[in-house]
Amino acid sequence: MADILSEISENLQNGKAKAVVELVGKALADGLPAQKILDDGLLAGMGVIGTKFKANEVFVPEVLVAARAMNKGAEVLKPALAAAGVKAKGKAVIGTVKGDLHDIGKNLVKMMMEGRGIEMIDLGVDVPASRFVDAAKENGVSIVCCSALLTTTMGEIKGVVDAFKESGGRDSVKIMVGGAPVTQAFCDQIGADRYAPDAASAAEAAAAYL
Ligand code: B1M
C-alpha cells in the first residue's frame, strides 16, 4: 500500500500527470480510502515540492507541472471524496484573491464542499474583490470563500470584506477565509466570519452555515 502512495508522490514530484492519474485510479480500485490517497500520495508529493521550491532546488516550471499533476490526480479522487447521494443544500462562491495564482488549495476546498452537497461557483484565480460581490449577488449565495497563498495577497481578503460592506451586502453573506499564510487572528482582524485551516474543516463549517 505504501508503495503505490510513494509512487503517486514521486510521479507528482516529476510532473507526470498521466502516471499520477493512472496510479490514483489503481489505488482507488485497490480499495485505498480516497482521503489517504490525497494525504499520503498527492499532498505528500506536493509537500516535497514545496520544501524544494523554498530551498531553490526546484523552480517555477517544475512546480507548475507538479501542480498540474496534483490537480489531475485530485480530479480522479473527486467522486470518491464526495459523500454519495448528498442533495444540493445551498450555494457558495469561491476564488483565489487578486494577484494570486495559486489554486490547488482552493480546488480542494471546492471539491470537499461539493462533497457536502454545496453547489460551488468557482471564480478561479486572481479574482478582484468586486467580482466576489457581483457573483454573490448574481447567484444569491450566502457563503463566500476566499483563498490566498501569498503574504503579499492576503490583504486582498480584507478588500473583499470591505467591498461587501461598501455594497451594503455584508450582512447577507458569511465570508470564509483560508490559505497557508491566513490565520484565525487575521480573520478576526479583517472582520471575516470564519477561518478554516484545511479543506475538510472549511467544508464542515460551510455546511453548518446552510
Ligand atoms: Co508559489 N509560493 N509562488 N507557486 N507555491 C508558495 C505559496 C510559497 C510558500 C513557496 C515558498 O517560498 N516556500 C511562497 C509564498 C511565500 C510567502 O508569501 N510568504 C510562494 C511564492 C513566493 C510564489 C511566487 C511569488 C514565486 C515566484 O514567481 N518567484 C509565485 C507567485 C505567483 C502568484 O500567485 N502571483 C508563485 C507561483 C507558484 C506556481 C504558479 C509555480 C505554483 C502554483 C500552481 C497552482 O496553484 N496551480 C506554486 C506552488 C504550487 C506553491 C507551493 C509549492 C504549493 C502550494 C500548494 O498548492 N500547496 C507553495 C509552497 C507550500 O505551500 N509549501 C508556494 C498545497 C495546497 C493543498 O495547500 O494551498 O495551503 P494550500 O491549501 C490548503 C489550506 O491552506 C486550506 O485548505 C487547503 C487544503 O487543505 N485552504 C483554504 C486554502 N485555501 C482555502 C480557502 C478557504 C479555506 C481553506 O476558504 C474558506
Side-chain angles (χ1 to χ4, degrees):
M1 176 176 88
D3 283 355
I4 193 160
L5 295 175
S6 330
E7 267 191 80
I8 290 171
S9 166
E10 273 158 32
N11 278 283
L12 183 145
Q13 291 168 49
N14 293 324
K16 297 202 179 333
K18 195 164 168 257
V20 168
V21 164
E22 281 168 15
L23 286 163
V24 169
K26 184 172 183 311
L28 280 175
D30 287 351
L32 257 68
Q35 190 66 51
K36 190 160 183 59
I37 302 170
L38 178 65
D39 290 341
D40 298 345
L42 297 174
L43 288 177
M46 210 57 223
V48 175
I49 283 289
T51 307
K52 289 188 172 171
F53 189 36
K54 194 172 181 180
N56 287 324
E57 288 169 22
V58 296
F59 301 95
V60 171
E62 289 101 316
V63 181
L64 268 179
V65 287
R68 187 168 164 272
M70 164 83 208
N71 278 329
K72 293 267 178 203
E75 275 299 315
V76 181
L77 285 182
K78 192 173 168 178
L81 284 172
V86 183
K87 267 174 83 186
K89 59 181 228 171
K91 287 188 212 172
V93 160
I94 191 164
T96 302
V97 294
K98 189 168 175 227
D100 199 322
L101 303 176
H102 296 84
D103 69 356
I104 297 175
K106 168 192 71 71
N107 292 344
L108 283 178
V109 173
K110 175 186 168 190
M111 219 176 260
M112 293 285 190
M113 289 197 177
E114 285 174 343
R116 289 272 181 163
I118 302 170
E119 185 185 332
M120 299 301 291
I121 294 137
D122 185 357
L123 305 179
V125 296
D126 192 18
V127 182
S130 60
R131 182 79 192 94
F132 282 97
V133 176
D134 294 345
K137 268 195 200 146
E138 282 159 19
N139 296 283
V141 311
S142 56
I143 298 179
V144 174
C145 303
C146 300
S147 180
L149 261 287
L150 299 170
T151 44
T152 49
T153 58
M154 59 194 277
E156 291 292 335
I157 304 181
K158 180 174 184 311
V160 175
V161 174
D162 291 346
F164 272 99
K165 282 185 191 155
E166 281 155 26
S167 75
R170 177 66 186 96
D171 293 340
S172 46
V173 290
K174 296 290 183 196
I175 301 180
M176 296 183 56
V177 300
V182 179
T183 59
Q184 182 64 56
F186 179 73
C187 170
D188 297 341
Q189 184 196 323
I190 64 170
D193 296 295
R194 183 78 190 225
Y195 161 68
D198 56 57
S201 51
E204 197 180 324
Y209 275 138
L210 293 168

